[in-house]
Structures are given as structure tokens and as C-alpha cells.
Amino acid sequence: SKNIFYPRYKKTSMPPSVSNLSKLAIDATRVLQSEAWIPEKATPVIYWMQREFRLRDNHALYHAIKIASEQKQPLLIAVTMMKKNLPFRYLNFKIEGIKQIIADLKGSNIGITVDATESSSKTILDLSNRIKSSLIVTDFSPLKCERQQTEELAKKLPKTSAIHVVDAHNIVPCVVASPKEEYMAATFRRKITPKLKKYLVEFPSYSTNEVTASLKMEFNIDWKVIVNRLEPDYDVPASS
């Protein structure tokens, strides 16, 4: 898709340098995208939380907060859940973590919405249309389901919108560490060792209170409805 670049774990070219990457809030090498640009018209920012369920030490959230803060725009965190028939123990653990995130966001202007859906890409597209957002920040994930959903969203977005896929999981961003699948530790070690000095640094400080604008709308979260839609496997009960 024109809007997004994804590493494929095989021999591929690195994301090309783009002049406006310097405008990004974080090191441009963490944005795994060939056209990492910020739309000229400032609009609310969506952080689609797919993999990194935390508020601290999260490069993707940091990136979204900085852009929303600089543009004086609201920031909305969107969580979507698709996978059905998961063990209830796993689902309950995930939900409890999201509830903690919601509790930690109280007192800030950052909103959050959670939904169980058949298609995460459609849900995020509908949400971006609803709040008139043209910039979506999301986590990098190598998993097939998350990758497909992100690519589908990129295809459906208008040309005036962009997705920033941020590697918030690896200390050295994936495509920087190596542009292909590695099969020997020795060859990978030679590639990654020279890059450690650049990336083994203190995490940048940020606060959820940096976002001063807020959305004038509420998002109701009905956990009972969400759990029922996901049809979990209750044979594996939640931990006591």
C-alpha cells in the first residue's frame, strides 16, 4: 500500500529517507514506513494499541502524545479485539491490564475506547471517520493477523491520511537490526553490535498530561458485551 511499509523478514530494502521525517517526535528509524509524513491539516490523533498494552516506556504512545501535543489536538487510544475462543484465563488477564490502563488515564485528556470486532481495520477506519482523524499511530507486530489488519486499513484510508507503524517492542528497531531473516547468530551479531550504542539509551520522558485538548464525546465500554462477543473458552478459568 502507498501509505505503509512493513518488514517481511526477508531480503528487502530499508525504508527510504524522507525529508519530513525530521518532523517526527521520535527517531525516524522506529517508524517502519516508506512515507512517514504528518498530514498538513491538524486533526485528532488515534493510537491503535495492538501489541504494547502499557502507558510507560512505550515508543508508539510517546510518538502519538508528542504529535498530539505539538498540534494541540486530542489523542484517543483505540483497543480492538478480534480473536475468538481464546482461553478465558488469557482474555481475563488482558482485560484486567486494559482496565488498569483506563484507571491510569483518569485525570488526563487522553480518551480510550475498547471494542470486540470482526474486523479491526474496519473498526479503526470507522472511528477515524467518526472523530475526523487523519493520523493513526500503531504498534509494530510481526504476527500475521495484526499485520494483515494494519495493511487492510492502509489500503482503505484516503490519500490525505497516514499510518505510523512504530516499533515499540524491540530495543533496536526490527528493520534496523537486519533487513532479512537471520539464520546464524554470528552474522546477526556483526550487524547489531555497531547499532547498540545508538539505541541503548535512557527512554525519553513523557507524560499523558502533555495532551491538553480533549474529544467532546464519550466512549462507553461494556465488558460483558465484549467478552460475550469473543466467545472465550471457559474450560481454562481465570487465575484466582
Side-chain angles (χ1 to χ4, degrees), residues 30-201:
R30 286 199 178 274
V31 183
L32 311 180
Q33 188 174 344
S34 59
E35 295 192 7
W37 56 284
I38 299 175
E40 292 182 7
K41 183 180 179 182
T43 63
V45 178
I46 294 175
Y47 169 37
W48 181 13
M49 187 180 278
Q50 296 192 80
R51 189 187 192 190
E52 313 303 335
F53 290 90
R54 62 184 186 277
L55 297 182
R56 296 181 59 186
D57 298 341
N58 184 334
H59 277 290
L61 177 60
Y62 168 72
H63 183 56
I65 285 176
K66 290 300 180 183
I67 294 177
S69 176
E70 290 167 8
Q71 296 189 336
K72 296 180 172 56
Q73 290 294 318
L75 171 60
L76 176 65
I77 297 175
V79 179
T80 57
M81 292 185 280
M82 282 179 54
K83 296 176 181 177
K84 293 186 176 183
N85 303 314
L86 290 170
F88 182 67
R89 180 178 299 170
Y90 169 85
L91 182 60
N92 185 70
F93 179 81
K94 188 172 185 178
I95 286 175
E96 290 302 314
I98 296 171
K99 286 180 178 178
Q100 184 60 55
I101 290 173
I102 294 172
D104 292 342
L105 285 173
K106 284 187 176 179
S108 75
N109 289 315
I110 299 176
I112 183 168
T113 177
V114 184
D115 196 12
T117 176
E118 295 289 334
S119 171
S120 291
S121 60
K122 185 179 184 304
T123 298
I124 298 299
L125 181 63
D126 292 344
L127 180 63
S128 67
N129 291 332
R130 180 182 173 188
I131 70 172
K132 295 179 172 56
S133 171
S134 60
L135 178 59
I136 299 167
V137 178
T138 192
D139 314 310
F140 161 70
S141 174
L143 301 179
K144 184 177 180 180
C145 178
E146 286 81 357
R147 195 172 69 236
Q148 284 181 340
Q149 289 298 308
T150 305
E151 290 174 346
E152 284 181 17
L153 176 61
K155 292 175 183 176
K156 296 173 183 176
L157 280 175
K159 293 181 179 179
T160 53
S161 298
I163 300 181
H164 291 180
V165 182
V166 179
D167 191 336
H169 199 80
N170 303 296
I171 294 175
V172 179
C174 179
V175 295
V176 174
S178 177
K180 67 173 186 177
E181 182 179 2
E182 295 290 339
Y183 57 92
M184 288 181 61
T187 56
F188 180 65
R189 190 179 300 114
R190 288 197 294 268
K191 291 179 182 179
I192 199 168
T193 301
K195 300 178 175 72
L196 294 180
K197 185 177 180 180
K198 178 178 180 179
Y199 292 100
L200 287 175
V201 294

